Amino acid sequence: MAAYVLEINENLLQTVVPVRYMDIELSFVGNDDVDIFVGGISYTRGELYRYLCRIGADTGNHIIHNLAVSSEPCELRIISNSSTPSHLVIRMYCRSDQGQTLGILSEHQMIKLAD
């Protein structure tokens, strides 16, 4: 099982333009299908979004579009049910309210942010 928990808000990338939306791309590396949960929880407003998908060798990538990011911190959770190491590749595309891509966070960069 892999679990990524990251606190996000509009200053996630520390750019002049705030992050307003994220697209999360999930890619599977392996042979068996895996279930993936992506959820966002606000400390004051409760659950913001919840997605459950199944990906595998036959399905390819799965992209969740237009997840809202606010000025208030919230917790992003990405959890899979596979115990195989390095079975999932995650990329987060951070965008402005105008749709401009401000930056892309890889799984490695998310781990560095968490440290």
Side-chain angles (χ1 to χ4, degrees):
M1 177 188 226
Y4 300 92
V5 178
L6 183 68
E7 187 174 285
I8 60 172
N9 65 19
E10 67 182 12
N11 296 320
L12 176 67
L13 297 180
Q14 299 178 352
T15 57
V16 176
V17 179
V19 174
R20 294 288 184 215
Y21 299 100
M22 288 189 319
D23 296 336
I24 298 180
E25 180 181 16
L26 305 164
S27 302
F28 181 70
V29 180
N31 297 323
D32 299 326
D33 290 353
V34 63
D35 294 319
I36 300 173
F37 169 81
V38 176
I41 298 174
S42 166
Y43 303 116
T44 59
R45 296 183 291 164
E47 188 173 70
L48 301 174
Y49 43 81
R50 177 192 316 185
Y51 294 91
L52 183 62
C53 60
R54 185 169 187 84
I55 62 174
D58 297 335
T59 60
N61 298 359
H62 184 82
I63 300 174
I64 302 170
H65 293 283
N66 298 325
L67 297 177
V69 178
S70 70
S71 58
E72 169 188 328
C74 74
E75 187 175 275
L76 174 68
R77 297 176 181 174
I78 302 172
I79 303 168
S80 77
N81 68 346
S82 176
S83 60
T84 307
S86 305
H87 66 281
L88 190 61
V89 176
I90 303 168
R91 285 188 193 85
M92 294 170 46
Y93 297 84
C94 301
R95 295 183 290 112
S96 70
D97 56 356
Q98 304 298 318
Q100 173 189 14
T101 300
L102 301 173
I104 301 169
L105 292 174
S106 68
E107 182 178 359
H108 176 72
Q109 291 164 322
M110 286 189 291
I111 290 170
K112 286 185 153 277
L113 277 175
D115 291 341

